[in-house]
Amino acid sequence: AIFSLLWTVRSDVLPIFFPPKMTGLWNVAVARFDVQGEENISRAQANLMSDVFYGSFKDEMDELSKETGISIEVLNPEATGVIKGKSAYERAAKAGAKASKLNAHIVIYGTVTRQGQIIKFLPEFYLDQSNLYEVEELVGQHTLGDPITIQSAGQENLNQLNLNRELGRRSKVLALVTKGLNLYLGQAYDDALELFKEANQDKYWKNSTGREVLYLFAGNAASKSSLQDEAEEAYRSAIEIDDGYGRGYVGLGHVYFQ
């Protein structure tokens, strides 16, 4: 009886703590968001945010799978777990290890902090080099935009409408980026460029902060399509947003040597 009970518990636990490797042609793992800062929100609130983000993102990926016939697998936050780290570098290292373990092309994660009744979510994603060896110029850690600000209704309550709207916008952007990366990997650079441009529309963004990654991806796609003037403009736009953005300078240098 004791053995039977242990086996029952173990069968329930294993899929969560030891998820099988993903088998789709395009695999994305969405992690639980890491809670940081002195005014911590509850784990339940952070889990709610990651679940809302996952639901919106998965709907977009299911639509893409139907449109293209490509097998796209999206692993949920409970199975993926939390990507923790005090710095972006530390989180990126753990996201890379998670990607290799799960056979994921992309791992989506982020940090959640509280300042009074304002909750901020900073989305990040990691492109795994072992699964994307043909697009080395894009692999590694990326931050997608400035922190998403959500007004909470109290210490334990989130404004659900605001939560759905704000996370939905950013998940839409990330879905467009993922679609673009899929096309980029298939060398459909013109189509990828259009999706990166669509993701960079003002309707998804309150300001320019954090949009340098979209200009980088657009610049790379334009360069691959031999649109060097457009590529140069995109890289310059990335550098204007963040003058310390090394990838933008690398892209600009590549244009000059064409």
Side-chain angles (χ1 to χ4, degrees), residues 70-140:
I70 296 173
S71 173
I72 301 174
E73 186 174 350
V74 183
L75 193 64
N76 64 60
E78 184 176 4
T80 303
V82 182
I83 302 295
K84 294 185 177 182
K86 294 182 179 180
S87 67
Y89 178 83
E90 185 178 348
R91 291 191 297 274
K94 292 183 178 180
K98 181 73 71 174
S100 297
K101 182 177 181 180
L102 297 175
N103 192 38
H105 297 90
I106 303 177
V107 177
I108 300 171
Y109 55 103
T111 60
V112 182
T113 58
R114 173 192 286 278
Q115 295 178 343
Q117 290 193 353
I118 300 297
I119 293 175
K120 293 186 177 182
F121 165 55
L122 179 64
E124 299 172 297
F125 64 100
Y126 184 91
L127 303 180
D128 185 55
Q129 185 169 6
S130 61
N131 286 317
L132 297 173
Y133 57 89
E134 295 179 352
V135 291
E136 293 91 345
E137 65 273 16
L138 299 182
V139 300

Side-chain angles (χ1 to χ4, degrees), residues 39-41 113-119 150-155:
E39 298 182 63
N40 288 345
I41 69 171
T113 58
R114 173 192 286 278
Q115 295 178 343
Q117 290 193 353
I118 300 297
I119 293 175
I150 300 170
Q151 179 75 40
S152 66
Q155 187 66 24

Side-chain angles (χ1 to χ4, degrees), residues 4 28 30 35 68 75 78 118 149 168 179 190 199 201 203 242:
S4 177
V28 185
V30 180
V35 177
T68 62
L75 193 64
E78 184 176 4
I118 300 297
T149 300
K179 293 177 183 180
D190 289 340
Q201 292 183 70
K203 65 181 180 180
D242 181 359

Side-chain angles (χ1 to χ4, degrees), residues 32-210:
R32 290 289 188 205
F33 302 151
D34 186 24
V35 177
Q36 297 192 348
E38 296 180 359
E39 298 182 63
N40 288 345
I41 69 171
S42 69
R43 183 70 257 174
Q45 284 181 315
N47 287 352
L48 173 62
M49 293 177 68
S50 59
D51 288 340
V52 169
F53 189 96
Y54 164 77
S56 179
F57 179 80
K58 189 174 187 306
D59 286 344
E60 295 286 344
M61 291 298 97
D62 287 345
E63 181 180 340
L64 175 62
S65 184
K66 291 178 181 178
E67 291 175 357
T68 62
I70 296 173
S71 173
I72 301 174
E73 186 174 350
V74 183
L75 193 64
N76 64 60
E78 184 176 4
T80 303
V82 182
I83 302 295
K84 294 185 177 182
K86 294 182 179 180
S87 67
Y89 178 83
E90 185 178 348
R91 291 191 297 274
K94 292 183 178 180
K98 181 73 71 174
S100 297
K101 182 177 181 180
L102 297 175
N103 192 38
H105 297 90
I106 303 177
V107 177
I108 300 171
Y109 55 103
T111 60
V112 182
T113 58
R114 173 192 286 278
Q115 295 178 343
Q117 290 193 353
I118 300 297
I119 293 175
K120 293 186 177 182
F121 165 55
L122 179 64
E124 299 172 297
F125 64 100
Y126 184 91
L127 303 180
D128 185 55
Q129 185 169 6
S130 61
N131 286 317
L132 297 173
Y133 57 89
E134 295 179 352
V135 291
E136 293 91 345
E137 65 273 16
L138 299 182
V139 300
Q141 184 268 352
H142 299 275
T143 300
L144 188 64
D146 56 348
I148 299 170
T149 300
I150 300 170
Q151 179 75 40
S152 66
Q155 187 66 24
E156 292 297 327
N157 297 311
L158 289 172
N159 184 317
Q160 190 69 44
L161 181 62
N162 192 19
L163 175 68
N164 291 343
R165 181 178 63 250
E166 296 301 328
L167 291 183
R169 285 175 181 167
R170 202 61 60 90
S171 66
K172 175 67 174 180
V173 169
L174 194 46
L176 289 168
V177 169
T178 302
K179 293 177 183 180
L181 289 170
N182 179 57
L183 292 168
Y184 191 100
L185 187 62
Q187 300 182 0
Y189 301 121
D190 289 340
D191 293 334
L193 176 59
E194 291 307 310
L195 283 175
F196 295 145
K197 287 181 177 179
E198 184 179 350
N200 206 2
Q201 292 183 70
D202 289 339
K203 65 181 180 180
Y204 297 124
W205 302 90
K206 293 181 179 179
N207 52 55
S208 62
T209 305

